[in-house]
Amino acid sequence: MSTFVHGEAVWDVACPRRPSRVAGVTMAGFRVGDLDALRMVPHPAVTLLLEFGAGSPVVDYAGGRRQRGSLVAGPGLGSGGAAWARGENVECVQVRLSPVIARAILGISPGDLDGAVVALGDLWGREAAQIRERLADVSSWEDRFALTGALLARWHAAGPPADPEVAWAWSRIVAGRGLVRVDRLAAELGWSRKRLWSRFHSQIGLPPKRAAKLVRFDHAAHRLVGGGSAARVAVEAGYADQSHLHRDVMEFIGVTPGCVAGEPFLAVDDIAWPGREAPSGKQHRVRPPSITVSRPG
């Protein structure tokens, strides 16, 4: 377990020694004595929070709504700086799920969350309380990760997969760091833009253009946290200019690019989610599911 110190934030952070059995699942463990008004920064994943400590985390989000304890939230939670977490004596396993596999694991599509933060008990009933008890009973973080991973693998194997066309479109957006034209994705699939928008939105939880915007913002935000200047990051992340980057950062976090490095929610990623991004930063081509390749001769 490592200690993360960022300004007044002091958290104990644990990471699994082994990758998840399920592609698209990453985990981290947190122990926080005093979680004071943490701004939650939008991220291109479904968040699953499994708490088991003496205190419960509380999330306040858009429209004055509030959720306490273990919860699920769709991709992009906190846009405009509208979601804040707080609590005392919080211990939890935080899971980031690729939206492509979220429906199989959760039993609900990210699109059905409709921007809300949902109590885990509302989705899983009594099993949510049983998971909390089991996480509290084991003594090590590695055992907690193993327990969580086994449960997620079981549900993933039993649940319905996303449409292969939707999974392909999402993989293209992620591989291209958001620099992908939606009309081109639709054309490569042989779909209309309307069909892609409808299927993608219902299964991923965001329209494809918004998803691409979020993925590009996430890449840019971590570059800013890493010390990159706004001017350089704007160029590297494919923004039209620095003003364009400024507008996106304000839209997603509610602060200027110069303040992004001060966000603990982002700064902890190098400790909590090592290997989050390939160091080479290369983009990869992925073939549409309808295309097959035959060997010559």
Side-chain angles (χ1 to χ4, degrees):
M1 175 165 274
S2 304
T3 300
F4 168 72
V5 180
H6 190 81
E8 296 183 359
V10 181
W11 308 341
D12 292 327
V13 183
C15 301
R17 295 194 187 102
R18 302 176 185 85
S20 171
R21 290 192 243 168
V22 180
V25 172
T26 55
M27 290 182 273
F30 295 91
R31 179 184 296 134
V32 185
D34 184 9
L35 184 62
D36 182 22
L38 171 70
R39 190 198 320 265
M40 300 182 72
V41 177
H43 182 79
V46 173
T47 296
L48 171 60
L49 193 70
L50 305 172
E51 65 86 15
F52 57 88
S56 292
V58 177
V59 175
D60 295 306
Y61 64 108
R65 292 176 288 181
R66 173 174 296 175
Q67 196 57 260
R68 181 185 298 271
S70 296
L71 53 85
V72 175
L77 170 69
S79 290
W84 296 78
R86 55 187 173 82
E88 295 181 352
N89 301 317
V90 172
E91 290 185 274
C92 64
V93 174
Q94 182 183 340
V95 183
R96 287 179 174 176
L97 301 173
S98 165
V100 169
I101 64 169
R103 179 172 63 163
I105 289 175
L106 299 175
I108 184 174
S109 168
D112 293 332
L113 295 172
D114 195 27
V117 180
V118 178
L120 193 61
D122 291 343
L123 294 183
W124 291 350
R126 294 176 59 184
E127 191 163 12
Q130 293 169 357
I131 293 169
R132 186 185 191 281
E133 292 174 1
R134 294 177 66 184
L135 288 172
D137 284 344
V138 297
S139 58
S140 74
W141 282 104
E142 205 58 34
D143 287 342
R144 292 182 184 113
F145 293 136
L147 170 62
T148 303
L151 291 170
L152 297 179
R154 188 187 81 200
W155 292 322
H156 177 259
D163 291 346
E165 296 86 354
V166 171
W168 173 82
W170 173 257
S171 70
R172 280 289 305 274
I173 289 171
V174 173
R177 293 177 175 166
L179 301 179
V180 178
R181 291 182 59 90
V182 175
D183 55 353
R184 185 170 299 172
L185 292 179
E188 290 189 52
L189 285 170
W191 283 8
S192 67
R193 283 176 56 96
K194 183 177 180 180
R195 184 180 184 187
L196 175 60
W197 189 98
S198 176
R199 293 280 190 90
F200 193 99
H201 192 185
S202 67
Q203 296 183 37
I204 300 299
L206 296 170
K209 187 173 181 180
R210 180 69 175 178
K213 191 173 183 177
L214 176 59
V215 168
R216 178 172 61 178
F217 157 77
D218 181 66
H219 171 64
H222 284 90
R223 286 286 185 265
L224 291 168
V225 170
S229 68
R232 180 169 183 172
V233 169
V235 173
E236 291 177 344
Y239 288 93
D241 51 32
Q242 192 171 332
S243 295
H244 186 191
L245 170 66
H246 181 97
R247 290 194 299 272
D248 265 21
V249 172
M250 285 294 296
E251 178 182 342
F252 279 112
I253 314 184
V255 301
T256 64
C259 297
V260 169
E263 296 295 326
F265 193 94
L266 292 169
V268 74
D269 275 13
D270 285 345
I271 298 175
W273 317 98
R276 181 189 60 84
E277 183 177 71
S280 65
K282 293 180 180 178
Q283 298 182 12
H284 303 280
R285 288 284 296 175
V286 185
R287 293 185 181 277
S290 58
I291 293 180
T292 58
V293 179
S294 58
R295 296 182 180 180

